[in-house]
Amino acid sequence: TCPLSECLFFFVASTENRRPMSNFSAVRMEDLGEPIQELLKEAMENGEEVDMSLCAHIKVRDVARVFDSMESGNSKQVVWEELKEQLIERAAAQKGERIEAKKSRVQEEADRRAREEAENKARIEAERKARIEAERKARIEAE
């Protein structure tokens, strides 16, 4: 077996051409704690393709929960599957929040444009009425 750093390097190098690496720079393996590192190492050794971008969603309480589960005798595979489900849910929720924020910005922009359009229509109508009134007065004076 290889040390975790070599496994991680191999994994990152092998997936480098398939997806952007922006999420990998956000999380260092050393910061994940030994229990998480062990889970990732075992998953990779078992041939599972690990989505490392999920690691960006790991929280301190996850490390503690993994440590407690492994101390309780749960298999690493079961603990990893549970953690992976939680991380996928967090990633989806965060993505949903970004989508909602974008929808909100788009709606605000649409509302702003609608207000501007209404203001322009009102200004044009006021100018038209003023022009008609000025023409009417000019005709009256000419008579």
Side-chain angles (χ1 to χ4, degrees):
T1 63
C2 61
L4 179 60
S5 60
E6 290 177 20
C7 289
L8 181 62
F9 174 76
F10 174 75
F11 173 85
V12 170
S14 68
T15 60
E16 193 169 24
N17 296 326
R18 290 187 290 185
R19 62 175 174 242
M21 299 295 286
S22 60
N23 289 332
F24 290 96
S25 62
V27 177
R28 295 181 341 183
M29 286 301 291
E30 303 85 45
D31 295 336
L32 295 177
E34 282 189 41
I36 304 288
Q37 290 177 17
E38 288 178 32
L39 292 178
L40 292 172
K41 179 180 176 182
E42 183 159 314
M44 286 186 271
E45 286 175 352
N46 291 336
E48 181 179 341
E49 188 169 324
V50 178
D51 182 0
M52 296 301 288
S53 66
L54 292 177
C55 292
H57 302 282
I58 292 176
K59 298 182 179 185
V60 173
R61 69 175 184 253
D62 295 325
V63 176
R65 192 177 312 117
V66 166
F67 184 77
D68 289 342
S69 291
M70 290 171 61
E71 287 287 311
S72 298
N74 293 330
S75 75
K76 290 179 183 177
Q77 186 174 4
V78 169
V79 174
W80 169 243
E81 289 301 320
E82 290 173 359
L83 177 62
K84 187 168 65 170
E85 283 180 31
Q86 292 171 352
L87 297 177
I88 289 170
E89 287 175 15
R90 276 188 209 142
Q94 187 177 37
K95 185 177 181 180
E97 289 170 4
R98 285 189 295 237
I99 290 170
E100 288 302 317
K102 184 176 181 178
K103 285 180 182 177
S104 177
R105 286 191 304 271
V106 168
Q107 185 61 46
E108 288 172 3
E109 180 65 19
D111 292 344
R112 183 187 63 78
R113 287 182 182 168
R115 278 192 309 275
E116 287 176 357
E117 187 176 322
E119 290 169 359
N120 283 336
K121 283 182 180 180
R123 182 182 48 80
I124 291 169
E125 182 62 21
E127 289 172 357
R128 185 184 72 76
K129 286 181 179 181
R131 188 177 59 249
I132 290 171
E133 182 64 24
E135 289 172 357
R136 187 183 67 77
K137 284 182 181 180
R139 270 185 289 178
I140 290 175
E141 288 177 6
E143 291 177 358

